[in-house]
Structure formats: structure tokens, C-alpha cells
Amino acid sequence: SVKRGYKSFVKMCAVCHQVNGFGSGKSSELVANGKVQGLDNKYLLNFISNPRSLKPKTKMPPVPKKIKNRRNVIIDIVNYYD
């Protein structure tokens, strides 16, 4: 699950975000600065699935709905952050 989460992060998230220094850095670092530490997995699942439902002004897009096994992909990404 963590390995799949890493691969999904690289495909969908690293375009904007970094985790521990890896990624583009267009947007915030997610782990090294504590951005996702302390957030529970349910919150992260909901945020990645539909960011604007929790933060209406965010520029972050949701994981595309057309992705096969979308919920499992999001769970894997959360497990990668963890």
C-alpha cells in the first residue's frame, strides 16, 4: 500500500507538492514541515478526495473521479504520507 501510494503521489501530487524534499515544490512540502502530521487519516482521505469540501478556497484539485479504484488510490496516498 505504501509503495502504491508513493507511485500515485509521484503521478498526481508531486507535480505541485513535495514530501521530504521530493517533488516540485510549487506548493507546500507535506511531511518535513509537519503539514500532514497530526491530521487523522479520515480527514486526509476526505481532503484528497474533495479538497474544496473542507477548504473552499484551496487551489488543490481533487484526485480525478475517472481514476480506476479511486478510493483505494487515495487510501494508498494517505498511507504513503503516514
Side-chain angles (χ1 to χ4, degrees):
S1 177
V2 172
K3 191 180 230 181
R4 290 188 310 265
Y6 168 77
K7 288 179 181 180
S8 295
F9 171 84
V10 169
K11 284 182 184 176
M12 293 181 276
C13 309
V15 172
C16 295
H17 290 286
Q18 290 185 348
V19 167
N20 295 321
F22 172 77
S24 81
K26 271 170 63 175
S27 191
S28 58
E29 158 69 46
L30 297 175
V31 175
N33 74 359
K35 189 97 173 170
V36 297
Q37 305 330 79
L39 298 175
D40 68 22
N41 287 353
K42 184 178 178 184
Y43 178 88
L44 289 172
L45 286 168
N46 290 329
F47 186 74
I48 294 167
S49 178
N50 186 2
R52 290 185 186 105
S53 71
L54 298 170
K55 288 189 169 187
K57 295 184 181 190
T58 187
K59 294 179 182 178
M60 183 174 143
V63 170
K65 294 193 186 298
K66 66 182 179 181
I67 290 183
K68 186 177 178 183
N69 299 315
R70 182 178 184 266
R71 179 138 176 94
N72 290 335
V73 168
I74 295 169
I75 289 168
D76 290 342
I77 291 170
V78 170
N79 287 334
Y80 169 62
Y81 294 154
D82 206 14

Coordinates of all heavy atoms in Angstrom, one line a residue:
S1 N 0.8 -1.2 0.0 CA 0.0 0.0 0.0 C 0.9 1.3 0.0 O 0.6 2.2 -0.7 CB -0.9 0.0 1.2 OG -1.7 1.1 1.3
V2 N 1.9 1.3 0.8 CA 2.8 2.5 0.8 C 3.5 2.6 -0.5 O 3.6 3.7 -1.0 CB 3.8 2.3 2.0 CG1 4.9 3.5 1.9 CG2 3.1 2.4 3.3
K3 N 4.0 1.5 -1.1 CA 4.7 1.6 -2.4 C 3.7 2.1 -3.5 O 4.1 2.9 -4.3 CB 5.2 0.2 -2.7 CG 6.2 0.2 -3.9 CD 6.6 -1.2 -4.2 CE 8.1 -1.2 -4.3 NZ 8.6 -2.6 -4.6
R4 N 2.5 1.6 -3.5 CA 1.5 2.1 -4.4 C 1.2 3.6 -4.2 O 1.0 4.3 -5.1 CB 0.2 1.3 -4.3 CG 0.3 -0.2 -4.9 CD -1.0 -0.9 -4.9 NE -1.8 -0.8 -3.7 CZ -1.8 -1.7 -2.7 NH1 -1.1 -2.8 -2.9 NH2 -2.6 -1.5 -1.7
G5 N 1.1 3.9 -2.9 CA 0.9 5.3 -2.5 C 2.0 6.2 -3.0 O 1.7 7.3 -3.5
Y6 N 3.2 5.8 -2.9 CA 4.4 6.5 -3.4 C 4.2 6.7 -4.9 O 4.3 7.9 -5.5 CB 5.7 5.8 -3.1 CG 6.8 6.4 -3.9 CD1 7.4 7.6 -3.5 CD2 7.4 5.8 -5.0 CE1 8.5 8.2 -4.1 CE2 8.4 6.4 -5.7 CZ 9.0 7.6 -5.3 OH 10.0 8.1 -6.0
K7 N 3.9 5.7 -5.7 CA 3.7 5.8 -7.1 C 2.6 6.7 -7.5 O 2.7 7.5 -8.4 CB 3.5 4.4 -7.7 CG 4.7 3.5 -7.7 CD 4.4 2.1 -8.3 CE 5.6 1.3 -8.2 NZ 5.4 -0.1 -8.8
S8 N 1.5 6.7 -6.7 CA 0.4 7.6 -7.0 C 0.7 9.0 -6.7 O 0.4 9.9 -7.4 CB -0.9 7.1 -6.2 OG -1.3 5.9 -6.7
F9 N 1.5 9.2 -5.6 CA 2.0 10.5 -5.2 C 2.8 11.1 -6.3 O 2.6 12.3 -6.7 CB 2.8 10.5 -3.9 CG 3.4 11.8 -3.6 CD1 2.7 12.8 -3.0 CD2 4.7 12.0 -4.0 CE1 3.3 14.1 -2.8 CE2 5.4 13.3 -3.8 CZ 4.6 14.3 -3.2
V10 N 3.7 10.3 -6.9 CA 4.6 10.8 -7.9 C 3.7 11.2 -9.2 O 4.0 12.3 -9.7 CB 5.6 9.7 -8.3 CG1 6.4 10.1 -9.6 CG2 6.6 9.5 -7.2
K11 N 2.8 10.4 -9.5 CA 1.9 10.7 -10.7 C 1.0 11.9 -10.5 O 0.8 12.7 -11.4 CB 1.0 9.5 -11.0 CG 1.7 8.4 -11.7 CD 0.7 7.3 -12.0 CE 1.3 6.1 -12.6 NZ 0.3 5.0 -12.8
M12 N 0.4 12.0 -9.3 CA -0.7 13.0 -9.2 C -0.3 14.2 -8.2 O -0.9 15.3 -8.4 CB -1.9 12.3 -8.6 CG -2.5 11.4 -9.6 SD -4.0 10.6 -9.0 CE -3.3 9.3 -8.1
C13 N 0.6 14.0 -7.3 CA 0.8 15.0 -6.3 C 2.1 15.8 -6.4 O 2.2 17.0 -6.1 CB 0.7 14.4 -4.9 SG -0.8 13.4 -4.6
A14 N 3.1 15.1 -6.8 CA 4.5 15.6 -6.9 C 4.6 16.7 -7.9 O 5.5 17.5 -8.0 CB 5.5 14.6 -7.1
V15 N 3.6 16.9 -8.8 CA 3.6 18.0 -9.8 C 3.6 19.3 -9.0 O 4.1 20.3 -9.5 CB 2.3 17.8 -10.7 CG1 2.2 19.0 -11.6 CG2 2.4 16.6 -11.5
C16 N 2.9 19.3 -7.9 CA 2.8 20.6 -7.1 C 3.5 20.4 -5.7 O 4.1 21.4 -5.2 CB 1.4 21.0 -6.8 SG 0.5 21.4 -8.3
H17 N 3.4 19.3 -5.1 CA 3.8 19.2 -3.7 C 5.2 18.4 -3.6 O 5.5 17.7 -4.5 CB 2.8 18.3 -2.8 CG 1.5 19.1 -2.6 ND1 1.4 20.1 -1.7 CD2 0.3 18.9 -3.1 CE1 0.2 20.6 -1.7 NE2 -0.5 19.9 -2.6
Q18 N 5.8 18.6 -2.4 CA 7.0 17.8 -2.0 C 6.6 17.0 -0.8 O 5.8 17.4 0.0 CB 8.1 18.7 -1.7 CG 8.8 19.4 -2.8 CD 10.0 20.1 -2.4 OE1 10.3 20.3 -1.2 NE2 10.8 20.6 -3.3
V19 N 7.3 15.8 -0.7 CA 7.3 15.0 0.6 C 8.7 14.7 0.9 O 9.4 14.2 0.1 CB 6.5 13.7 0.4 CG1 6.7 12.8 1.6 CG2 5.0 14.0 0.3
N20 N 9.2 15.2 2.0 CA 10.6 15.1 2.5 C 11.5 15.5 1.4 O 12.5 14.9 1.1 CB 10.8 13.6 2.9 CG 10.0 13.2 4.1 OD1 9.9 14.0 5.0 ND2 9.5 12.0 4.1
G21 N 11.2 16.6 0.7 CA 12.1 17.2 -0.3 C 12.0 16.7 -1.7 O 12.6 17.2 -2.6
F22 N 11.1 15.7 -1.9 CA 10.9 15.1 -3.2 C 9.7 15.7 -3.8 O 8.6 15.6 -3.2 CB 10.8 13.6 -3.2 CG 10.4 13.0 -4.5 CD1 11.4 12.9 -5.5 CD2 9.1 12.6 -4.8 CE1 11.0 12.4 -6.8 CE2 8.7 12.1 -6.0 CZ 9.7 12.0 -7.0
G23 N 9.7 16.2 -5.0 CA 8.6 16.7 -5.7 C 8.9 18.1 -6.2 O 10.0 18.6 -6.1
S24 N 7.9 18.8 -6.8 CA 8.2 20.1 -7.5 C 8.4 21.3 -6.6 O 9.1 22.2 -6.9 CB 7.1 20.4 -8.5 OG 6.0 21.0 -7.8
G25 N 7.7 21.3 -5.5 CA 7.8 22.5 -4.6 C 6.9 23.7 -5.0 O 7.1 24.7 -4.5
K26 N 6.1 23.5 -6.1 CA 5.2 24.6 -6.5 C 4.3 25.0 -5.3 O 3.9 26.1 -5.1 CB 4.4 24.2 -7.7 CG 5.0 24.5 -9.0 CD 4.3 23.9 -10.2 CE 2.9 24.3 -10.5 NZ 2.4 23.7 -11.8
S27 N 3.9 24.0 -4.6 CA 3.0 24.2 -3.4 C 3.8 23.7 -2.2 O 5.0 23.4 -2.3 CB 1.7 23.4 -3.6 OG 0.8 23.8 -2.6
S28 N 3.1 23.5 -1.1 CA 3.7 23.2 0.2 C 4.3 21.8 0.2 O 3.9 20.8 -0.4 CB 2.7 23.4 1.3 OG 1.6 22.5 1.1
E29 N 5.4 21.7 1.0 CA 6.0 20.5 1.5 C 5.0 19.9 2.4 O 4.4 20.6 3.2 CB 7.3 20.8 2.2 CG 7.8 19.7 3.2 CD 8.3 18.4 2.5 OE1 9.0 18.5 1.5 OE2 7.9 17.4 3.0
L30 N 4.8 18.6 2.3 CA 3.7 18.0 3.1 C 4.1 17.3 4.4 O 3.4 17.2 5.3 CB 2.9 17.0 2.3 CG 2.2 17.6 1.1 CD1 1.6 16.5 0.2 CD2 1.2 18.6 1.5
V31 N 5.3 16.7 4.4 CA 5.7 15.9 5.6 C 6.8 16.6 6.4 O 6.6 16.8 7.6 CB 6.2 14.5 5.2 CG1 6.7 13.8 6.4 CG2 5.0 13.8 4.6
A32 N 7.9 17.0 5.8 CA 9.0 17.6 6.6 C 8.7 18.9 7.4 O 9.2 19.1 8.4 CB 10.2 17.9 5.6
N33 N 7.7 19.6 6.9 CA 7.2 20.8 7.6 C 6.1 20.5 8.6 O 5.5 21.4 9.2 CB 6.9 22.0 6.7 CG 5.6 21.8 6.0 OD1 4.9 20.8 6.1 ND2 5.2 22.7 5.2
G34 N 5.7 19.3 8.7 CA 4.6 18.9 9.6 C 3.2 19.2 9.0 O 2.2 19.1 9.8
K35 N 3.1 19.5 7.8 CA 1.8 19.9 7.2 C 0.7 18.8 7.4 O -0.4 19.1 7.7 CB 2.0 20.2 5.7 CG 0.8 20.8 5.0 CD 0.9 22.2 5.0 CE -0.2 22.8 4.1 NZ -0.2 24.3 4.3
V36 N 1.1 17.5 7.2 CA 0.1 16.4 7.4 C 0.2 15.7 8.7 O -0.7 14.9 9.0 CB 0.1 15.4 6.2 CG1 -0.2 16.1 4.9 CG2 1.4 14.7 6.1
Q37 N 1.3 16.0 9.5 CA 1.4 15.3 10.8 C 0.3 15.9 11.7 O 0.0 17.0 11.7 CB 2.7 15.7 11.4 CG 4.0 15.3 10.6 CD 3.9 14.2 9.7 OE1 3.4 14.3 8.6 NE2 4.5 13.0 10.0
G38 N -0.3 15.0 12.4 CA -1.4 15.4 13.3 C -2.7 15.4 12.7 O -3.7 15.5 13.4
L39 N -2.8 15.3 11.4 CA -4.1 15.2 10.7 C -4.5 13.7 10.7 O -3.7 12.9 10.4 CB -4.1 15.7 9.3 CG -3.8 17.2 9.2 CD1 -3.6 17.6 7.7 CD2 -4.8 18.1 9.8
D40 N -5.7 13.4 11.1 CA -6.1 12.0 11.0 C -6.4 11.5 9.6 O -6.6 12.3 8.7 CB -7.3 11.7 12.0 CG -8.6 12.3 11.5 OD1 -8.8 12.6 10.4 OD2 -9.5 12.4 12.4
N41 N -6.3 10.2 9.4 CA -6.4 9.6 8.1 C -7.7 9.9 7.4 O -7.8 10.1 6.2 CB -6.1 8.2 8.1 CG -4.6 7.9 8.3 OD1 -3.8 8.8 8.3 ND2 -4.2 6.6 8.5
K42 N -8.8 9.9 8.2 CA -10.1 10.2 7.7 C -10.2 11.6 7.1 O -10.7 11.8 6.0 CB -11.2 10.1 8.8 CG -12.6 10.3 8.2 CD -13.6 10.0 9.3 CE -15.0 10.3 8.7 NZ -16.0 10.2 9.8
Y43 N -9.6 12.6 7.8 CA -9.5 14.0 7.2 C -8.8 14.0 5.9 O -9.2 14.6 4.9 CB -8.9 14.9 8.3 CG -8.8 16.3 7.7 CD1 -9.9 17.2 7.9 CD2 -7.7 16.8 7.1 CE1 -9.8 18.5 7.4 CE2 -7.6 18.1 6.5 CZ -8.6 18.9 6.7 OH -8.5 20.2 6.2
L44 N -7.6 13.4 5.9 CA -6.8 13.3 4.7 C -7.5 12.7 3.6 O -7.4 13.2 2.4 CB -5.4 12.6 5.0 CG -4.5 13.4 5.9 CD1 -3.3 12.5 6.2 CD2 -4.0 14.7 5.2
L45 N -8.2 11.6 3.8 CA -8.9 10.9 2.8 C -10.0 11.8 2.2 O -10.1 11.9 1.0 CB -9.6 9.6 3.3 CG -8.8 8.4 3.6 CD1 -9.5 7.4 4.4 CD2 -8.3 7.8 2.3
N46 N -10.7 12.5 3.0 CA -11.7 13.4 2.6 C -11.1 14.6 1.8 O -11.7 15.0 0.8 CB -12.6 13.9 3.7 CG -13.5 12.8 4.3 OD1 -13.9 11.9 3.6 ND2 -13.8 12.9 5.6
F47 N -10.0 15.1 2.4 CA -9.4 16.3 1.7 C -8.9 16.0 0.3 O -9.1 16.7 -0.6 CB -8.3 16.9 2.6 CG -7.8 18.2 2.1 CD1 -8.5 19.3 2.2 CD2 -6.5 18.2 1.4 CE1 -8.0 20.5 1.6 CE2 -6.0 19.4 0.9 CZ -6.8 20.6 1.0
I48 N -8.2 14.9 0.2 CA -7.6 14.5 -1.1 C -8.7 14.1 -2.1 O -8.6 14.5 -3.2 CB -6.6 13.3 -0.9 CG1 -5.4 13.7 -0.1 CG2 -6.2 12.7 -2.3 CD1 -4.5 12.6 0.4
S49 N -9.8 13.6 -1.6 CA -10.9 13.2 -2.4 C -11.7 14.4 -2.9 O -12.0 14.5 -4.1 CB -11.9 12.3 -1.6 OG -13.0 12.0 -2.4
N50 N -11.9 15.4 -2.0 CA -12.6 16.6 -2.4 C -12.1 17.8 -1.5 O -12.8 18.2 -0.6 CB -14.1 16.4 -2.2 CG -15.0 17.5 -2.6 OD1 -14.5 18.5 -3.2 ND2 -16.3 17.4 -2.4
P51 N -11.0 18.4 -1.9 CA -10.4 19.4 -1.1 C -11.3 20.6 -0.8 O -11.3 21.1 0.3 CB -9.2 19.9 -2.0 CG -8.9 18.8 -2.9 CD -10.2 18.1 -3.1
R52 N -12.1 21.0 -1.8 CA -12.9 22.2 -1.6 C -14.1 22.0 -0.6 O -14.6 22.9 -0.1 CB -13.4 22.7 -2.9 CG -12.2 23.3 -3.7 CD -12.6 24.0 -5.0 NE -11.4 24.4 -5.7 CZ -11.0 23.7 -6.8 NH1 -11.6 22.7 -7.2 NH2 -9.9 24.1 -7.4
S53 N -14.4 20.7 -0.3 CA -15.4 20.5 0.7 C -15.0 20.8 2.1 O -15.8 21.1 2.9 CB -15.9 19.0 0.6 OG -14.8 18.1 1.2
L54 N -13.6 20.8 2.3 CA -13.1 21.1 3.6 C -12.4 22.5 3.6 O -12.4 23.2 4.7 CB -12.1 20.1 4.0 CG -12.7 18.7 4.2 CD1 -11.6 17.6 4.4 CD2 -13.7 18.6 5.3
K55 N -11.9 22.9 2.5 CA -11.3 24.3 2.4 C -11.7 24.9 1.1 O -11.1 24.7 0.0 CB -9.7 24.1 2.4 CG -9.1 23.8 3.7 CD -7.6 23.9 3.6 CE -7.1 23.8 5.0 NZ -5.6 24.1 5.0
P56 N -12.8 25.6 1.1 CA -13.5 26.1 -0.1 C -12.5 26.9 -1.0 O -12.7 27.0 -2.2 CB -14.6 26.9 0.4 CG -15.0 26.3 1.7 CD -13.7 25.9 2.3
K57 N -11.5 27.6 -0.5 CA -10.7 28.5 -1.3 C -9.4 27.8 -1.7 O -8.6 28.5 -2.4 CB -10.4 29.8 -0.5 CG -11.6 30.6 -0.2 CD -11.3 31.9 0.5 CE -12.6 32.6 0.7 NZ -12.4 34.0 1.1
T58 N -9.2 26.5 -1.4 CA -8.0 25.9 -1.9 C -7.9 25.8 -3.4 O -8.9 25.7 -4.1 CB -7.9 24.4 -1.3 OG1 -6.6 23.9 -1.6 CG2 -8.9 23.5 -1.8
K59 N -6.7 25.8 -3.9 CA -6.4 25.6 -5.3 C -6.2 24.2 -5.7 O -6.1 23.9 -6.8 CB -5.3 26.5 -5.7 CG -5.6 28.0 -5.6 CD -4.4 28.8 -6.0 CE -4.7 30.3 -5.8 NZ -3.5 31.1 -6.2
M60 N -6.1 23.3 -4.7 CA -5.8 21.9 -4.9 C -6.9 21.2 -5.6 O -8.1 21.3 -5.1 CB -5.5 21.2 -3.6 CG -5.1 19.8 -3.8 SD -4.6 19.1 -2.2 CE -5.2 17.4 -2.4
P61 N -6.7 20.6 -6.7 CA -7.7 19.8 -7.4 C -7.9 18.5 -6.7 O -7.0 17.9 -6.0 CB -7.2 19.6 -8.8 CG -5.7 19.6 -8.6 CD -5.4 20.5 -7.5
P62 N -9.1 17.9 -6.8 CA -9.3 16.5 -6.2 C -8.6 15.5 -7.1 O -8.3 15.8 -8.3 CB -10.8 16.4 -6.3 CG -11.3 17.2 -7.4 CD -10.3 18.4 -7.4
V63 N -8.4 14.3 -6.5 CA -8.0 13.2 -7.4 C -9.1 13.0 -8.4 O -10.3 12.9 -8.0 CB -7.8 11.9 -6.5 CG1 -7.5 10.7 -7.4 CG2 -6.6 12.1 -5.6
P64 N -8.8 12.9 -9.7 CA -9.8 12.7 -10.7 C -10.7 11.6 -10.5 O -10.3 10.5 -10.1 CB -9.0 12.5 -12.0 CG -7.6 13.2 -11.7 CD -7.4 12.9 -10.2
K65 N -12.0 11.8 -10.7 CA -13.0 10.8 -10.5 C -12.9 9.6 -11.4 O -13.4 8.5 -11.1 CB -14.4 11.4 -10.5 CG -14.7 12.4 -9.4 CD -16.1 12.7 -9.3 CE -16.3 13.8 -8.2 NZ -16.0 13.5 -6.9
K66 N -12.3 9.8 -12.6 CA -12.2 8.8 -13.6 C -11.1 7.7 -13.3 O -11.0 6.7 -13.9 CB -11.9 9.4 -15.0 CG -10.6 10.0 -15.1 CD -10.3 10.7 -16.4 CE -9.0 11.4 -16.4 NZ -8.7 12.0 -17.7
I67 N -10.3 7.9 -12.3 CA -9.2 7.0 -11.9 C -9.8 5.7 -11.4 O -10.7 5.7 -10.5 CB -8.3 7.6 -10.9 CG1 -7.5 8.7 -11.6 CG2 -7.4 6.6 -10.2 CD1 -6.5 9.4 -10.7
K68 N -9.3 4.6 -11.9 CA -9.8 3.3 -11.5 C -9.4 3.0 -10.1 O -8.3 3.4 -9.6 CB -9.1 2.2 -12.4 CG -9.6 0.8 -12.2 CD -8.9 -0.1 -13.2 CE -9.4 -1.5 -12.9 NZ -8.7 -2.5 -13.8
N69 N -10.4 2.5 -9.3 CA -10.1 2.2 -7.9 C -9.7 3.5 -7.1 O -8.8 3.4 -6.3 CB -9.1 1.1 -7.7 CG -9.5 -0.2 -8.3 OD1 -10.7 -0.6 -8.1 ND2 -8.6 -0.8 -9.0
R70 N -10.4 4.6 -7.4 CA -10.0 5.9 -6.9 C -9.9 5.9 -5.4 O -8.9 6.4 -4.8 CB -11.1 6.9 -7.3 CG -10.9 8.3 -6.9 CD -12.0 9.2 -7.5 NE -11.7 10.6 -7.1 CZ -12.2 11.2 -6.1 NH1 -13.0 10.5 -5.2 NH2 -12.0 12.5 -5.8
R71 N -10.9 5.3 -4.7 CA -10.8 5.3 -3.2 C -9.5 4.6 -2.7 O -8.9 5.1 -1.8 CB -12.1 4.7 -2.6 CG -12.0 4.7 -1.1 CD -13.3 5.1 -0.5 NE -13.3 5.0 1.0 CZ -13.0 6.0 1.8 NH1 -12.8 7.2 1.3 NH2 -13.1 5.8 3.1
N72 N -9.2 3.5 -3.3 CA -8.0 2.7 -2.9 C -6.8 3.5 -3.2 O -5.8 3.4 -2.4 CB -8.0 1.4 -3.6 CG -9.1 0.4 -3.0 OD1 -9.5 0.6 -1.9 ND2 -9.5 -0.5 -3.8
V73 N -6.8 4.2 -4.3 CA -5.6 5.0 -4.7 C -5.4 6.1 -3.6 O -4.3 6.4 -3.2 CB -5.8 5.7 -6.1 CG1 -4.8 6.8 -6.3 CG2 -5.7 4.6 -7.2
I74 N -6.5 6.8 -3.2 CA -6.4 7.8 -2.2 C -5.9 7.2 -0.8 O -5.1 7.8 -0.1 CB -7.7 8.6 -2.0 CG1 -8.0 9.3 -3.3 CG2 -7.7 9.5 -0.8 CD1 -9.5 9.9 -3.4
I75 N -6.4 6.1 -0.5 CA -6.0 5.4 0.8 C -4.5 5.1 0.7 O -3.8 5.3 1.7 CB -6.8 4.1 1.0 CG1 -8.3 4.4 1.4 CG2 -6.2 3.2 2.1 CD1 -9.2 3.3 1.4
D76 N -4.0 4.6 -0.4 CA -2.6 4.4 -0.6 C -1.8 5.6 -0.4 O -0.7 5.6 0.2 CB -2.3 3.7 -2.0 CG -2.8 2.3 -2.1 OD1 -3.1 1.7 -1.0 OD2 -3.0 1.8 -3.2
I77 N -2.3 6.8 -1.0 CA -1.5 8.0 -0.9 C -1.5 8.4 0.6 O -0.4 8.8 1.1 CB -2.2 9.1 -1.7 CG1 -2.0 8.9 -3.2 CG2 -1.6 10.5 -1.4 CD1 -2.8 9.7 -4.1
V78 N -2.6 8.3 1.3 CA -2.6 8.6 2.8 C -1.6 7.7 3.5 O -0.9 8.2 4.4 CB -4.0 8.5 3.3 CG1 -4.0 8.6 4.9 CG2 -4.9 9.6 2.8
N79 N -1.6 6.4 3.2 CA -0.6 5.5 3.8 C 0.8 5.9 3.5 O 1.7 5.7 4.4 CB -0.9 4.1 3.4 CG -2.2 3.5 4.0 OD1 -2.6 4.0 5.1 ND2 -2.8 2.6 3.3
Y80 N 1.1 6.4 2.3 CA 2.4 6.9 2.0 C 2.8 8.1 2.9 O 3.9 8.1 3.4 CB 2.5 7.3 0.5 CG 3.8 8.0 0.1 CD1 5.0 7.4 0.3 CD2 3.7 9.3 -0.3 CE1 6.2 8.1 0.0 CE2 4.9 10.0 -0.6 CZ 6.1 9.4 -0.5 OH 7.3 10.0 -0.8
Y81 N 1.9 9.0 3.1 CA 2.2 10.2 4.0 C 2.5 9.7 5.4 O 3.2 10.3 6.1 CB 1.0 11.1 4.0 CG 0.7 11.9 2.7 CD1 -0.6 12.3 2.5 CD2 1.7 12.1 1.8 CE1 -0.9 13.0 1.3 CE2 1.3 12.7 0.6 CZ 0.1 13.2 0.4 OH -0.2 13.9 -0.8
D82 N 1.7 8.7 5.8 CA 1.8 8.2 7.2 C 3.2 7.6 7.4 O 3.8 7.5 8.3 CB 0.7 7.2 7.5 CG 0.3 7.1 8.9 OD1 0.7 8.0 9.7 OD2 -0.4 6.2 9.2

